[in-house]
Amino acid sequence: MAYSPSVQSLMEALRCLPGVGPKSAQRMTFALLQHDRDGARRLARALETAAETVGECRRCRTLTEEDLCQLCASDRRDPAVLCVVENPSDVQALEDATDYAGQYFVLKGRLSPLDGIGPGELGLEALEARFTDGEVREIILAVSPTVEGEATAQYIASMAAEADIRISRIAHGVPLGGDLDYVDAGTLSHAFAGRARYG
Amino acid sequence: MAYSPSVQSLMEALRCLPGVGPKSAQRMTFALLQHDRDGARRLARALETAAETVGECRRCRTLTEEDLCQLCASDRRDPAVLCVVENPSDVQALEDATDYAGQYFVLKGRLSPLDGIGPGELGLEALEARFTDGEVREIILAVSPTVEGEATAQYIASMAAEADIRISRIAHGVPLGGDLDYVDAGTLSHAFAGRARYG
Ligand SMILES: [Zn+2]
Ligand SMILES: [Zn+2]
């Protein structure tokens, strides 16, 4: 190995980033050390801060270092409408693509019993509590059209039916197996506007 | 913006990495915060350490936090043979691919007067000093076959001629096992012009 320990450690540490293989890690290491030490230091601090402080919103479960995220804390968002998504990035994608003015609930996954992901892992008890306390009147499901997404949708639909809450699901203009945040804003906006009754 | 300040800062800081756009930065942020906080902390420390400690080898200019890199410090490498490369990663590539047992000199660039990169930026005075102090008897050029690489090669060749040092350049052409129609036109043209007697 021709690299010094610090250079080698940086190359290895960069591999924790999804999509970064040995070649990219090497390219990143040299780019930072030769041309952007300030960027490297800034990234180090951002990683450290985020790793230490970011938890989840106690209401919607999205990633935030605050107790309540900005959307849950806002008095300009209608608490009677709740859009259920799989990932924090889906919230951003919907905010960018639509003029939705309700609130969100972030599952951080989908039901997948074989992987040990049940209702508890997705915070569905907390969601059910919000259904039964009477504040929520409408649910919009924006979960992915995958097998696990379907199972998740059906589970939430049955919870909603029991609480007598209207439920819809965004239209399947979203490509099968596609993550919401990889869909272009136009398609996502169309799918959101064209959501159909569900359950 | 639906992200909290720490999450947003991390996404922005990741953009200092080459090849990382907004989507990748977002994907990396969520992957780290949801599944790999230890990786994030390790990466933060590696960035911090490397940014603070890594300088260049005083002999070959490669990136290292030591005074002399491991190859320059080794008594098993022949100091009479010097392979001149453009980047620290080229050293690793040659170490992996060959049984070369000499030393290296890393230019960290190529002559490009329009970009303000002259002999001084490439450490060519230091290289010339090593030519004239009598230790180096052979130079192997492993610079790229680009316009700037050619200019760099010629500059070093004239320095070597003055010091009466033997000089060679690695062959450029069609990769072994490569189909001609998958090779870029520049490489093929170069390989054709540089054809050697055969049989
Ligand atoms: Zn929230
Ligand atoms: Zn060295």
Side-chain angles (χ1 to χ4, degrees), chain A:
Chain A
M1 180 49 58
Y3 299 123
S4 68
S6 294
V7 173
Q8 184 65 25
S9 295
L10 179 51
M11 279 181 199
E12 281 161 14
L14 282 163
R15 301 286 304 280
C16 75
L17 299 171
V20 175
K23 283 281 175 204
S24 314
Q26 184 173 282
R27 196 159 43 92
M28 290 172 170
T29 296
F30 291 121
L32 289 177
L33 293 179
Q34 302 205 100
H35 309 297
D36 195 10
R37 302 246 170 168
D38 284 347
R41 290 190 192 96
R42 203 160 42 238
L43 178 53
R45 284 192 300 272
L47 284 162
E48 186 67 32
T49 302
E52 296 309 323
T53 66
V54 173
E56 64 178 40
C57 172
R58 80 175 143 78
R59 205 165 150 77
C60 76
R61 290 168 45 99
T62 200
L63 290 167
T64 176
E65 66 272 25
E66 289 142 17
D67 178 45
L68 274 185
C69 76
Q70 295 162 56
L71 293 178
C72 286
S74 168
D75 56 10
R76 302 171 66 180
R77 309 292 301 214
D78 184 357
V81 190
L82 203 55
C83 179
V84 179
V85 299
E86 293 176 0
N87 303 301
S89 53
D90 300 336
V91 174
Q92 185 63 48
L94 287 163
E95 289 293 293
D96 288 345
T98 73
D99 56 359
Y100 176 66
Q103 296 194 342
Y104 292 92
F105 189 84
V106 183
L107 301 167
K108 298 206 201 171
R110 337 182 242 250
L111 284 179
S112 180
L114 291 180
D115 302 312
I117 302 176
E121 281 67 33
L122 304 184
L124 294 183
E125 289 96 343
L127 185 61
E128 190 159 34
R130 288 181 70 178
F131 285 8
T132 52
D133 73 7
E135 195 179 46
V136 176
R137 291 193 319 270
E138 181 181 353
I139 297 290
I140 298 167
L141 289 172
V143 297
S144 64
T146 57
V147 174
E148 292 97 348
E150 292 297 335
T152 311
Q154 283 165 22
Y155 193 99
I156 296 170
S158 70
M159 277 171 27
E162 232 163 87
D164 204 22
I165 291 172
R166 188 171 47 177
I167 187 162
S168 61
R169 186 168 180 194
I170 65 168
H172 287 192
V174 177
L176 292 187
D179 283 330
L180 285 198
D181 51 341
Y182 278 86
V183 175
D184 69 279
T187 303
L188 190 53
S189 171
H190 182 90
F192 191 80
R195 62 189 182 272
R197 268 192 84 84
Y198 188 79

Side-chain angles (χ1 to χ4, degrees), chain B residues 37-48:
Chain B
R37 302 245 170 170
D38 284 347
R41 289 191 192 95
R42 201 159 44 236
L43 177 54
R45 284 191 302 271
L47 284 162
E48 187 66 33

